[in-house]
PDB file of all heavy atoms in Angstrom:
ATOM      1  N   SER E   1       0.847  -1.183   0.000  1.00 79.00           N
ATOM      2  CA  SER E   1       0.000   0.000   0.000  1.00 79.00           C
ATOM      3  C   SER E   1       0.883   1.233   0.000  1.00 79.00           C
ATOM      4  O   SER E   1       2.107   1.132   0.043  1.00 79.00           O
ATOM      5  CB  SER E   1      -0.921  -0.011   1.224  1.00 79.00           C
ATOM      6  OG  SER E   1      -0.175  -0.259   2.391  1.00 79.00           O
ATOM      7  N   SER E   2       0.257   2.403  -0.023  1.00 80.00           N
ATOM      8  CA  SER E   2       1.052   3.624  -0.140  1.00 80.00           C
ATOM      9  C   SER E   2       1.416   4.240   1.205  1.00 80.00           C
ATOM     10  O   SER E   2       2.328   5.051   1.273  1.00 80.00           O
ATOM     11  CB  SER E   2       0.291   4.651  -0.991  1.00 80.00           C
ATOM     12  OG  SER E   2      -0.967   4.928  -0.409  1.00 80.00           O
ATOM     13  N   PHE E   3       0.712   3.867   2.289  1.00 85.00           N
ATOM     14  CA  PHE E   3       1.060   4.439   3.595  1.00 85.00           C
ATOM     15  C   PHE E   3       0.669   3.464   4.707  1.00 85.00           C
ATOM     16  O   PHE E   3      -0.226   3.734   5.510  1.00 85.00           O
ATOM     17  CB  PHE E   3       0.374   5.786   3.794  1.00 85.00           C
ATOM     18  CG  PHE E   3       1.107   6.695   4.746  1.00 85.00           C
ATOM     19  CD1 PHE E   3       2.231   7.395   4.325  1.00 85.00           C
ATOM     20  CD2 PHE E   3       0.682   6.845   6.058  1.00 85.00           C
ATOM     21  CE1 PHE E   3       2.907   8.249   5.198  1.00 85.00           C
ATOM     22  CE2 PHE E   3       1.350   7.686   6.936  1.00 85.00           C
ATOM     23  CZ  PHE E   3       2.472   8.388   6.502  1.00 85.00           C
ATOM     24  N   PRO E   4       1.339   2.323   4.784  1.00 88.00           N
ATOM     25  CA  PRO E   4       1.007   1.349   5.834  1.00 88.00           C
ATOM     26  C   PRO E   4       1.316   1.917   7.207  1.00 88.00           C
ATOM     27  O   PRO E   4       2.352   2.534   7.413  1.00 88.00           O
ATOM     28  CB  PRO E   4       1.904   0.152   5.492  1.00 88.00           C
ATOM     29  CG  PRO E   4       3.062   0.741   4.750  1.00 88.00           C
ATOM     30  CD  PRO E   4       2.500   1.885   3.976  1.00 88.00           C
ATOM     31  N   ARG E   5       0.411   1.675   8.173  1.00 88.00           N
ATOM     32  CA  ARG E   5       0.583   2.224   9.511  1.00 88.00           C
ATOM     33  C   ARG E   5       0.890   1.165  10.564  1.00 88.00           C
ATOM     34  O   ARG E   5       1.631   1.423  11.506  1.00 88.00           O
ATOM     35  CB  ARG E   5      -0.686   2.984   9.929  1.00 88.00           C
ATOM     36  CG  ARG E   5      -0.997   4.188   9.057  1.00 88.00           C
ATOM     37  CD  ARG E   5       0.078   5.254   9.169  1.00 88.00           C
ATOM     38  NE  ARG E   5       0.178   5.797  10.504  1.00 88.00           N
ATOM     39  CZ  ARG E   5      -0.347   6.958  10.889  1.00 88.00           C
ATOM     40  NH1 ARG E   5      -1.012   7.690  10.023  1.00 88.00           N
ATOM     41  NH2 ARG E   5      -0.182   7.397  12.115  1.00 88.00           N
ATOM     42  N   ALA E   6       0.274  -0.021  10.438  1.00 89.00           N
ATOM     43  CA  ALA E   6       0.432  -1.025  11.490  1.00 89.00           C
ATOM     44  C   ALA E   6       0.316  -2.420  10.903  1.00 89.00           C
ATOM     45  O   ALA E   6      -0.371  -2.640   9.900  1.00 89.00           O
ATOM     46  CB  ALA E   6      -0.623  -0.822  12.577  1.00 89.00           C
ATOM     47  N   ILE E   7       0.989  -3.363  11.565  1.00 91.00           N
ATOM     48  CA  ILE E   7       0.942  -4.767  11.156  1.00 91.00           C
ATOM     49  C   ILE E   7       0.726  -5.631  12.391  1.00 91.00           C
ATOM     50  O   ILE E   7       1.245  -5.349  13.470  1.00 91.00           O
ATOM     51  CB  ILE E   7       2.242  -5.187  10.422  1.00 91.00           C
ATOM     52  CG1 ILE E   7       2.181  -6.677  10.024  1.00 91.00           C
ATOM     53  CG2 ILE E   7       3.469  -4.916  11.271  1.00 91.00           C
ATOM     54  CD1 ILE E   7       3.344  -7.111   9.141  1.00 91.00           C
ATOM     55  N   LEU E   8      -0.047  -6.697  12.213  1.00 92.00           N
ATOM     56  CA  LEU E   8      -0.294  -7.667  13.278  1.00 92.00           C
ATOM     57  C   LEU E   8      -0.337  -9.049  12.651  1.00 92.00           C
ATOM     58  O   LEU E   8      -0.907  -9.230  11.565  1.00 92.00           O
ATOM     59  CB  LEU E   8      -1.613  -7.355  13.981  1.00 92.00           C
ATOM     60  CG  LEU E   8      -1.942  -8.145  15.240  1.00 92.00           C
ATOM     61  CD1 LEU E   8      -0.886  -7.913  16.314  1.00 92.00           C
ATOM     62  CD2 LEU E   8      -3.311  -7.750  15.768  1.00 92.00           C
ATOM     63  N   LEU E   9       0.285 -10.029  13.310  1.00 92.00           N
ATOM     64  CA  LEU E   9       0.310 -11.396  12.806  1.00 92.00           C
ATOM     65  C   LEU E   9      -0.693 -12.248  13.565  1.00 92.00           C
ATOM     66  O   LEU E   9      -0.853 -12.124  14.781  1.00 92.00           O
ATOM     67  CB  LEU E   9       1.706 -12.003  12.965  1.00 92.00           C
ATOM     68  CG  LEU E   9       2.886 -11.219  12.382  1.00 92.00           C
ATOM     69  CD1 LEU E   9       4.183 -12.014  12.580  1.00 92.00           C
ATOM     70  CD2 LEU E   9       2.677 -10.905  10.911  1.00 92.00           C
ATOM     71  N   SER E  10      -1.355 -13.155  12.844  1.00 92.00           N
ATOM     72  CA  SER E  10      -2.247 -14.134  13.455  1.00 92.00           C
ATOM     73  C   SER E  10      -2.232 -15.376  12.580  1.00 92.00           C
ATOM     74  O   SER E  10      -2.614 -15.325  11.403  1.00 92.00           O
ATOM     75  CB  SER E  10      -3.671 -13.586  13.582  1.00 92.00           C
ATOM     76  OG  SER E  10      -4.520 -14.539  14.198  1.00 92.00           O
ATOM     77  N   GLY E  11      -1.755 -16.492  13.157  1.00 91.00           N
ATOM     78  CA  GLY E  11      -1.627 -17.706  12.362  1.00 91.00           C
ATOM     79  C   GLY E  11      -0.636 -17.498  11.238  1.00 91.00           C
ATOM     80  O   GLY E  11       0.448 -16.952  11.436  1.00 91.00           O
ATOM     81  N   ASN E  12      -1.015 -17.894  10.036  1.00 93.00           N
ATOM     82  CA  ASN E  12      -0.143 -17.764   8.861  1.00 93.00           C
ATOM     83  C   ASN E  12      -0.428 -16.502   8.061  1.00 93.00           C
ATOM     84  O   ASN E  12      -0.108 -16.437   6.864  1.00 93.00           O
ATOM     85  CB  ASN E  12      -0.284 -18.986   7.951  1.00 93.00           C
ATOM     86  CG  ASN E  12       0.356 -20.221   8.542  1.00 93.00           C
ATOM     87  OD1 ASN E  12       1.400 -20.143   9.188  1.00 93.00           O
ATOM     88  ND2 ASN E  12      -0.263 -21.372   8.343  1.00 93.00           N
ATOM     89  N   PHE E  13      -1.016 -15.494   8.718  1.00 95.00           N
ATOM     90  CA  PHE E  13      -1.398 -14.290   7.986  1.00 95.00           C
ATOM     91  C   PHE E  13      -0.923 -13.029   8.713  1.00 95.00           C
ATOM     92  O   PHE E  13      -0.853 -12.992   9.942  1.00 95.00           O
ATOM     93  CB  PHE E  13      -2.916 -14.238   7.783  1.00 95.00           C
ATOM     94  CG  PHE E  13      -3.440 -15.352   6.923  1.00 95.00           C
ATOM     95  CD1 PHE E  13      -3.840 -16.555   7.489  1.00 95.00           C
ATOM     96  CD2 PHE E  13      -3.493 -15.211   5.543  1.00 95.00           C
ATOM     97  CE1 PHE E  13      -4.303 -17.597   6.694  1.00 95.00           C
ATOM     98  CE2 PHE E  13      -3.946 -16.249   4.740  1.00 95.00           C
ATOM     99  CZ  PHE E  13      -4.356 -17.439   5.322  1.00 95.00           C
ATOM    100  N   ALA E  14      -0.583 -12.028   7.893  1.00 94.00           N
ATOM    101  CA  ALA E  14      -0.247 -10.701   8.399  1.00 94.00           C
ATOM    102  C   ALA E  14      -1.383  -9.763   8.011  1.00 94.00           C
ATOM    103  O   ALA E  14      -1.867  -9.783   6.870  1.00 94.00           O
ATOM    104  CB  ALA E  14       1.067 -10.208   7.794  1.00 94.00           C
ATOM    105  N   TYR E  15      -1.813  -8.956   8.978  1.00 96.00           N
ATOM    106  CA  TYR E  15      -2.898  -7.999   8.750  1.00 96.00           C
ATOM    107  C   TYR E  15      -2.312  -6.597   8.823  1.00 96.00           C
ATOM    108  O   TYR E  15      -1.714  -6.218   9.833  1.00 96.00           O
ATOM    109  CB  TYR E  15      -4.006  -8.201   9.780  1.00 96.00           C
ATOM    110  CG  TYR E  15      -4.651  -9.561   9.678  1.00 96.00           C
ATOM    111  CD1 TYR E  15      -4.070 -10.673  10.289  1.00 96.00           C
ATOM    112  CD2 TYR E  15      -5.817  -9.746   8.940  1.00 96.00           C
ATOM    113  CE1 TYR E  15      -4.644 -11.935  10.169  1.00 96.00           C
ATOM    114  CE2 TYR E  15      -6.403 -11.001   8.820  1.00 96.00           C
ATOM    115  CZ  TYR E  15      -5.808 -12.099   9.442  1.00 96.00           C
ATOM    116  OH  TYR E  15      -6.368 -13.346   9.315  1.00 96.00           O
ATOM    117  N   ILE E  16      -2.473  -5.831   7.742  1.00 91.00           N
ATOM    118  CA  ILE E  16      -1.831  -4.520   7.613  1.00 91.00           C
ATOM    119  C   ILE E  16      -2.905  -3.471   7.353  1.00 91.00           C
ATOM    120  O   ILE E  16      -3.745  -3.639   6.457  1.00 91.00           O
ATOM    121  CB  ILE E  16      -0.805  -4.518   6.462  1.00 91.00           C
ATOM    122  CG1 ILE E  16       0.295  -5.559   6.737  1.00 91.00           C
ATOM    123  CG2 ILE E  16      -0.197  -3.130   6.277  1.00 91.00           C
ATOM    124  CD1 ILE E  16       1.194  -5.806   5.541  1.00 91.00           C
ATOM    125  N   VAL E  17      -2.873  -2.373   8.141  1.00 91.00           N
ATOM    126  CA  VAL E  17      -3.805  -1.282   7.884  1.00 91.00           C
ATOM    127  C   VAL E  17      -3.040  -0.123   7.254  1.00 91.00           C
ATOM    128  O   VAL E  17      -1.899   0.157   7.615  1.00 91.00           O
ATOM    129  CB  VAL E  17      -4.532  -0.822   9.164  1.00 91.00           C
ATOM    130  CG1 VAL E  17      -5.478  -1.905   9.649  1.00 91.00           C
ATOM    131  CG2 VAL E  17      -3.563  -0.436  10.263  1.00 91.00           C
ATOM    132  N   ASP E  18      -3.699   0.530   6.306  1.00 90.00           N
ATOM    133  CA  ASP E  18      -3.070   1.599   5.529  1.00 90.00           C
ATOM    134  C   ASP E  18      -3.961   2.836   5.568  1.00 90.00           C
ATOM    135  O   ASP E  18      -5.141   2.772   5.219  1.00 90.00           O
ATOM    136  CB  ASP E  18      -2.857   1.147   4.089  1.00 90.00           C
ATOM    137  CG  ASP E  18      -2.130   2.188   3.269  1.00 90.00           C
ATOM    138  OD1 ASP E  18      -2.789   3.108   2.739  1.00 90.00           O
ATOM    139  OD2 ASP E  18      -0.900   2.102   3.155  1.00 90.00           O
ATOM    140  N   SER E  19      -3.395   3.966   6.004  1.00 85.00           N
ATOM    141  CA  SER E  19      -4.193   5.178   6.169  1.00 85.00           C
ATOM    142  C   SER E  19      -4.410   5.924   4.860  1.00 85.00           C
ATOM    143  O   SER E  19      -5.333   6.733   4.764  1.00 85.00           O
ATOM    144  CB  SER E  19      -3.541   6.111   7.192  1.00 85.00           C
ATOM    145  OG  SER E  19      -2.247   6.484   6.775  1.00 85.00           O
ATOM    146  N   SER E  20      -3.591   5.681   3.843  1.00 84.00           N
ATOM    147  CA  SER E  20      -3.762   6.357   2.564  1.00 84.00           C
ATOM    148  C   SER E  20      -4.760   5.608   1.680  1.00 84.00           C
ATOM    149  O   SER E  20      -5.697   6.193   1.136  1.00 84.00           O
ATOM    150  CB  SER E  20      -2.419   6.479   1.834  1.00 84.00           C
ATOM    151  OG  SER E  20      -2.588   7.097   0.582  1.00 84.00           O
ATOM    152  N   ASP E  21      -4.558   4.293   1.557  1.00 87.00           N
ATOM    153  CA  ASP E  21      -5.493   3.487   0.762  1.00 87.00           C
ATOM    154  C   ASP E  21      -6.764   3.149   1.527  1.00 87.00           C
ATOM    155  O   ASP E  21      -7.691   2.561   0.972  1.00 87.00           O
ATOM    156  CB  ASP E  21      -4.812   2.196   0.314  1.00 87.00           C
ATOM    157  CG  ASP E  21      -3.766   2.447  -0.761  1.00 87.00           C
ATOM    158  OD1 ASP E  21      -3.649   3.608  -1.200  1.00 87.00           O
ATOM    159  OD2 ASP E  21      -3.066   1.503  -1.148  1.00 87.00           O
ATOM    160  N   GLU E  22      -6.773   3.491   2.821  1.00 88.00           N
ATOM    161  CA  GLU E  22      -7.959   3.321   3.673  1.00 88.00           C
ATOM    162  C   GLU E  22      -8.467   1.883   3.640  1.00 88.00           C
ATOM    163  O   GLU E  22      -9.651   1.614   3.427  1.00 88.00           O
ATOM    164  CB  GLU E  22      -9.064   4.288   3.237  1.00 88.00           C
ATOM    165  CG  GLU E  22      -8.621   5.744   3.312  1.00 88.00           C
ATOM    166  CD  GLU E  22      -9.610   6.696   2.663  1.00 88.00           C
ATOM    167  OE1 GLU E  22     -10.616   6.212   2.109  1.00 88.00           O
ATOM    168  OE2 GLU E  22      -9.369   7.911   2.688  1.00 88.00           O
ATOM    169  N   ASP E  23      -7.541   0.940   3.900  1.00 90.00           N
ATOM    170  CA  ASP E  23      -7.945  -0.456   3.847  1.00 90.00           C
ATOM    171  C   ASP E  23      -7.151  -1.317   4.824  1.00 90.00           C
ATOM    172  O   ASP E  23      -6.204  -0.852   5.476  1.00 90.00           O
ATOM    173  CB  ASP E  23      -7.800  -1.013   2.423  1.00 90.00           C
ATOM    174  CG  ASP E  23      -6.359  -1.052   1.923  1.00 90.00           C
ATOM    175  OD1 ASP E  23      -5.428  -0.719   2.702  1.00 90.00           O
ATOM    176  OD2 ASP E  23      -6.142  -1.418   0.751  1.00 90.00           O
ATOM    177  N   MET E  24      -7.566  -2.569   4.936  1.00 92.00           N
ATOM    178  CA  MET E  24      -6.810  -3.591   5.637  1.00 92.00           C
ATOM    179  C   MET E  24      -6.472  -4.672   4.624  1.00 92.00           C
ATOM    180  O   MET E  24      -7.345  -5.165   3.907  1.00 92.00           O
ATOM    181  CB  MET E  24      -7.622  -4.215   6.779  1.00 92.00           C
ATOM    182  CG  MET E  24      -6.859  -5.314   7.536  1.00 92.00           C
ATOM    183  SD  MET E  24      -7.871  -6.175   8.776  1.00 92.00           S
ATOM    184  CE  MET E  24      -8.836  -7.283   7.707  1.00 92.00           C
ATOM    185  N   ARG E  25      -5.181  -5.018   4.557  1.00 94.00           N
ATOM    186  CA  ARG E  25      -4.749  -6.060   3.639  1.00 94.00           C
ATOM    187  C   ARG E  25      -4.335  -7.296   4.418  1.00 94.00           C
ATOM    188  O   ARG E  25      -3.732  -7.197   5.490  1.00 94.00           O
ATOM    189  CB  ARG E  25      -3.599  -5.567   2.777  1.00 94.00           C
ATOM    190  CG  ARG E  25      -3.991  -4.321   2.005  1.00 94.00           C
ATOM    191  CD  ARG E  25      -3.142  -4.037   0.821  1.00 94.00           C
ATOM    192  NE  ARG E  25      -3.651  -2.843   0.160  1.00 94.00           N
ATOM    193  CZ  ARG E  25      -3.308  -2.475  -1.073  1.00 94.00           C
ATOM    194  NH1 ARG E  25      -2.458  -3.204  -1.762  1.00 94.00           N
ATOM    195  NH2 ARG E  25      -3.815  -1.387  -1.605  1.00 94.00           N
ATOM    196  N   VAL E  26      -4.686  -8.449   3.872  1.00 95.00           N
ATOM    197  CA  VAL E  26      -4.357  -9.726   4.492  1.00 95.00           C
ATOM    198  C   VAL E  26      -3.305 -10.410   3.624  1.00 95.00           C
ATOM    199  O   VAL E  26      -3.540 -10.666   2.438  1.00 95.00           O
ATOM    200  CB  VAL E  26      -5.602 -10.621   4.621  1.00 95.00           C
ATOM    201  CG1 VAL E  26      -5.247 -11.902   5.385  1.00 95.00           C
ATOM    202  CG2 VAL E  26      -6.738  -9.871   5.309  1.00 95.00           C
ATOM    203  N   ILE E  27      -2.138 -10.684   4.235  1.00 94.00           N
ATOM    204  CA  ILE E  27      -1.019 -11.271   3.502  1.00 94.00           C
ATOM    205  C   ILE E  27      -0.752 -12.682   4.024  1.00 94.00           C
ATOM    206  O   ILE E  27      -0.586 -12.879   5.235  1.00 94.00           O
ATOM    207  CB  ILE E  27       0.261 -10.422   3.669  1.00 94.00           C
ATOM    208  CG1 ILE E  27      -0.014  -8.947   3.341  1.00 94.00           C
ATOM    209  CG2 ILE E  27       1.379 -10.976   2.794  1.00 94.00           C
ATOM    210  CD1 ILE E  27      -0.434  -8.685   1.929  1.00 94.00           C
ATOM    211  N   ASP E  28      -0.718 -13.643   3.119  1.00 96.00           N
ATOM    212  CA  ASP E  28      -0.379 -15.018   3.482  1.00 96.00           C
ATOM    213  C   ASP E  28       1.138 -15.115   3.646  1.00 96.00           C
ATOM    214  O   ASP E  28       1.892 -14.889   2.697  1.00 96.00           O
ATOM    215  CB  ASP E  28      -0.859 -15.970   2.383  1.00 96.00           C
ATOM    216  CG  ASP E  28      -0.674 -17.435   2.754  1.00 96.00           C
ATOM    217  OD1 ASP E  28       0.242 -17.762   3.539  1.00 96.00           O
ATOM    218  OD2 ASP E  28      -1.430 -18.277   2.237  1.00 96.00           O
ATOM    219  N   ILE E  29       1.590 -15.435   4.865  1.00 95.00           N
ATOM    220  CA  ILE E  29       3.030 -15.531   5.132  1.00 95.00           C
ATOM    221  C   ILE E  29       3.426 -16.962   5.495  1.00 95.00           C
ATOM    222  O   ILE E  29       4.437 -17.184   6.150  1.00 95.00           O
ATOM    223  CB  ILE E  29       3.439 -14.574   6.277  1.00 95.00           C
ATOM    224  CG1 ILE E  29       2.626 -14.853   7.543  1.00 95.00           C
ATOM    225  CG2 ILE E  29       3.292 -13.123   5.838  1.00 95.00           C
ATOM    226  CD1 ILE E  29       3.121 -14.108   8.767  1.00 95.00           C
ATOM    227  N   SER E  30       2.623 -17.934   5.046  1.00 94.00           N
ATOM    228  CA  SER E  30       2.963 -19.328   5.322  1.00 94.00           C
ATOM    229  C   SER E  30       4.323 -19.676   4.732  1.00 94.00           C
ATOM    230  O   SER E  30       5.051 -20.512   5.269  1.00 94.00           O
ATOM    231  CB  SER E  30       1.884 -20.266   4.777  1.00 94.00           C
ATOM    232  OG  SER E  30       1.632 -20.024   3.397  1.00 94.00           O
TER     233      SER E  30
END
C-alpha cells in the first residue's frame, strides 16, 4: 500500500492497515 501504519500477525497471515489506501490487507506468510 502507499502508507502502511500497522501490522499484526495471526496464524499464517499478516494484517496490515493503511491510512492512505484506507484499507486492511491480508497477507499469506505461510
Side-chain angles (χ1 to χ4, degrees):
S1 50
S2 58
F3 206 78
R5 297 296 297 260
I7 179 172
L8 188 61
L9 307 183
S10 181
N12 288 323
F13 296 90
Y15 297 83
I16 299 169
V17 292
D18 184 275
S19 60
S20 178
D21 288 356
E22 301 170 357
D23 64 4
M24 179 186 78
R25 302 200 179 195
V26 185
I27 309 297
D28 186 332
I29 56 171
S30 54

